[in-house]
Amino acid sequence: MMRRSIIVLLSTVLVLTSGCGSDKKDLGEPISGLPEYLPRSMDFHIFYYAWYGTPEFDGEYRHWNHAVLAPDGSETDVSFPGGNDIGSNFFPRSGCYSSNDPETIARHCFEIRLAGAGVICVSWWGPGSFSDKAVPGILDAAWRHGLRVDFHIEPFEGRTAVTTRDAIAYIVDEYGDHPGFYRTDRFGVKPMFFIYDSYLIDVVDWKRILTPEGDITIRGTKYDSNVIGLLVGEEHLDFILDGGFDGCYDYFATDGFTWGSTTLNWVKISEWADDNEVLFIPCIGPGYEDTRIRPWNSRNTRFRDRGEYYSGQFVETHKIEPPFIGITSFNEWHEGTQIEPATPMSADGFRYLDYMPLPHDAYLHKTRSLFLNYKYTFSH
């Protein structure tokens, strides 16, 4: 009966949110009825990818036609055309979609709300990028669904510590007044930014923007934020402290891929974070499978095992009781970490993976069931 009620509610949500603009005067009130069915926690940040395009909305396929990658990360001369032949081991139940389609964004916000996460962490590739252009629609839909939005700042072209500071300033100036923009009052009423591959920039440069004495620091300014660096190797613990970061996250859904993403190390990392008064945000995922775009990377595959892998990762968070948890991911289809609904599909002799014998939306409900048994209080 609950499933049937949720389906009816979803239909209502799509009607109410379709066509929402970025003008705040058009936002209206959050959708009534959602809190009754779907409490969520702002302590759970789910990584969200707004880089998908279709000919209908964007003039071409984007990312569904992902190239096959060589071991050094360079593109080969093979790529997927899109349509039913995409750069993923799984196939989305909704088919290829555009990150600029209001109905898609509304559906995603409902599904994220259903999963129990409260914060959408948008993969962001710089001012004016394809993902940046999707942000206004995401903010509007998130607000309507009682969600908030923060940002995963990726290695955009020309990214340095200085241009990262500029990016933070741009995001705060451009979107900071939107009611869907995330701030936490648990650490000084600040926004939160995750910085992917932060260790590739010299720690001296990070000091300039993230320490109080830095010559272009954000500290004590309107752009002061919780800035979270990526923890890969154990040596990056000192990097996080010396660079002035407010904490670290491990991102990867492959247990054992890096030192930071190895769950056996999480107690040690958590103790280090507590001792140094910084955040450690562990990230969990339902599995990992990227051999369609990285055919040589099977060693990092982590099978879903009907949700047991996901449950096992979540159990590890119980041992450290972190203030926040990251979910990798809602819709990173290339790496097979998505919890977005998938469907059986075949194309050109390739049979996509799916969630069977579990239903297509199993990982939305799995995420919610895991969170409801956690220590955090869900809000309505």
Side-chain angles (χ1 to χ4, degrees), residues 231 233-238 241 248 259-260 262-282 316-317 319-321:
L231 178 65
E234 186 172 7
E235 68 276 13
H236 295 141
L237 296 176
D238 288 338
L241 295 180
C248 59
W259 184 84
T262 300
T263 56
L264 289 175
N265 296 327
W266 284 1
V267 170
K268 178 178 180 178
I269 299 169
S270 179
E271 290 173 348
W272 164 86
D274 289 344
D275 290 344
N276 290 282
E277 298 182 336
V278 295
L279 299 171
F280 170 50
I281 303 177
E316 296 301 320
T317 67
K319 298 176 182 179
I320 59 175
E321 297 188 346

Side-chain angles (χ1 to χ4, degrees), residues 57-128:
F57 280 91
D58 311 290
E60 60 180 349
Y61 284 112
R62 295 181 66 98
H63 266 271
W64 302 116
N65 56 348
H66 200 289
V68 176
L69 303 177
D72 63 0
S74 62
E75 296 185 1
T76 70
D77 59 357
V78 178
S79 61
F80 298 94
N84 287 339
D85 193 5
I86 65 174
S88 172
N89 290 76
F90 295 84
F91 197 85
R93 181 173 172 81
S94 59
C96 294
Y97 54 75
S98 169
S99 297
N100 292 303
D101 176 7
E103 289 192 7
T104 291
I105 300 171
R107 181 178 67 252
H108 286 173
C109 286
F110 175 84
E111 290 170 344
I112 290 169
R113 182 72 187 254
L114 175 60
V119 184
I120 303 171
C121 188
V122 176
S123 171
W124 187 84
W125 289 86

